[in-house]
Amino acid sequence: MPSASAPPTRPSRSRRLLAALVGSAALGALLPLAAAGSAAAAAPICTAPAKHAAVAAKLSRDIKSALSGRSDQVGISVYDQNTGVFCTYNAYTHFDSASVVKAAIMGTVLRRAQEQHRGLTSWETSNLRAMITHSDNTAATNLWNSVGRTRFQAFLNLAQMHSTHPGSGDLWGLTQITARDEVHLLDAFTDHHDALNATWRAYALKLMSQVTPSQRWGVPYGAPGGTLVSNKNGWLPRATHGWRVHSIGTVTGNGRDYRLAVLTQNNSTMSYGETTIERVALAVHRDLGGSTTRAAAVSTRAADVPAPTDGSAPF
């Protein structure tokens, strides 16, 4: 993956020296703050090599439009392998993972099989299928305990998920994740070769493409036809920050190769978070995938009715 994965640059040394030379302590303190504030306000959500700068600029505008008027807290990361378009919005903010961490648990199980030069056991296969396609929590706990924290952390390191912190004990649903790290995870299932070989990458994408229809909201919404859409979602209400509602996924095939992670919290209902995610997903699918789905389709969603928690952590 290109250098877009590097963390945001710090203010240059020359700018810091200039502030120091101003001669006024108050002015020296205010100049960097004002400059940083202006830079943050002007910074585009998406960037790209010059050849695709117009696509990045349009997607920046469309993501901002998708988020307009929304009251939840949102973290977004997008990467398109074909164009180099790279988007970040609160991408380094931590969220409780809820059930999206199951994708990383799967990656760890597949990595173990790869290191041991073997196929999956029938026990691993059945638990993986239940955990990913139906978000089964017992299966997730089984596999979480089977791989152990040391092996899980080793997989996070291989996948370059350096800001992800595993939940304590059996509380895998309280793993701390960022949108940027979730796209690193999706890289490990697509074009990044250090964590998994081609066989296991294909296995992961196929299993994530078979998620039960009732859990295919979020990233898959409005995806272009003729593509393989692989995703994992999480939805969890807690006493603080309301509903956490997350969706991660990849769009591959038919000339497309991009991935998207949208994490949200402070949602009043699960449906509110779903709508936020799907507004962003539609913008991405239009601009990177050429989807013709109309954004207005989101407004036809059912009224906000709280859905059962995914059970990944206690209230």
Side-chain angles (χ1 to χ4, degrees):
M1 192 165 180
S3 58
S5 61
T9 55
R10 297 179 179 178
S12 66
R13 182 172 182 271
S14 59
R15 182 173 293 181
R16 296 197 303 270
L17 288 174
L18 178 61
L21 292 171
V22 168
S24 164
L27 185 58
L30 289 173
L31 272 176
L33 291 174
S38 300
I45 292 175
C46 304
T47 59
K51 181 179 180 180
H52 299 288
V55 177
K58 185 176 188 306
L59 185 52
S60 290
R61 293 192 299 271
D62 289 347
I63 289 177
K64 288 177 182 178
S65 177
L67 296 176
S68 178
R70 306 305 288 173
S71 61
D72 43 356
Q73 183 179 11
V74 184
I76 301 169
S77 187
V78 182
Y79 180 66
D80 182 9
Q81 179 73 16
N82 292 336
T83 63
V85 169
F86 174 56
C87 309
T88 61
Y89 179 86
N90 295 332
Y92 301 92
T93 299
H94 282 94
F95 295 78
D96 293 333
S97 67
S99 282
V100 297
V101 73
K102 292 169 181 173
I105 296 173
M106 173 178 65
T108 309
V109 173
L110 300 182
R111 176 67 189 186
R112 177 173 63 183
Q114 178 175 312
E115 289 177 348
Q116 295 176 353
H117 306 287
R118 62 172 177 82
L120 295 172
T121 67
S122 59
W123 182 87
E124 288 171 328
T125 300
S126 62
N127 277 280
L128 282 171
R129 175 161 292 279
M131 177 180 71
I132 297 299
T133 65
H134 286 82
S135 207
D136 185 89
N137 292 324
T138 298
T141 299
N142 289 342
L143 293 170
W144 173 264
N145 290 332
S146 172
V147 295
R149 295 178 65 85
T150 298
R151 190 177 290 277
F152 183 72
Q153 184 62 58
F155 176 78
L156 296 180
N157 294 342
L158 285 171
Q160 301 179 24
M161 299 170 69
H162 302 306
S163 296
T164 298
H165 308 300
S168 61
D170 284 344
L171 298 178
W172 40 264
L174 296 184
T175 295
Q176 297 299 293
I177 62 172
T178 68
R180 185 70 193 99
D181 268 13
E182 290 305 298
V183 165
H184 277 306
L185 173 63
L186 298 173
D187 288 341
F189 293 156
T190 49
D191 302 295
H192 178 64
H193 301 166
D194 290 347
L196 296 170
N197 63 32
T199 298
W200 295 124
R201 294 198 305 274
Y203 182 96
L205 291 181
K206 183 176 181 180
L207 200 57
M208 290 171 67
S209 74
Q210 296 172 347
V211 168
T212 189
S214 65
Q215 297 177 20
R216 291 284 283 175
W217 47 266
V219 164
Y221 188 77
T227 58
L228 181 72
V229 183
S230 304
N231 82 292
K232 186 69 193 80
N233 296 334
W235 57 101
L236 173 68
R238 301 200 77 210
T240 59
H241 298 300
W243 280 84
R244 292 98 165 113
V245 186
H246 312 319
S247 186
I248 67 171
T250 66
V251 178
T252 56
N254 201 19
R256 281 84 164 197
D257 185 4
Y258 59 91
R259 56 232 60 166
L260 165 64
V262 186
L263 312 180
T264 74
Q265 63 182 13
N266 296 332
N267 295 288
S268 56
T269 64
M270 177 180 170
S271 182
Y272 190 91
E274 288 181 52
T275 297
T276 296
I277 294 168
E278 290 178 354
R279 287 167 63 109
V280 174
L282 279 173
V284 174
H285 296 321
R286 283 198 313 269
D287 294 346
L288 297 183
S291 174
T292 57
T293 302
R294 295 178 61 84
V298 174
S299 65
T300 66
R301 295 180 53 78
D304 283 343
V305 177
T309 172
D310 69 10
S312 56
F315 180 77

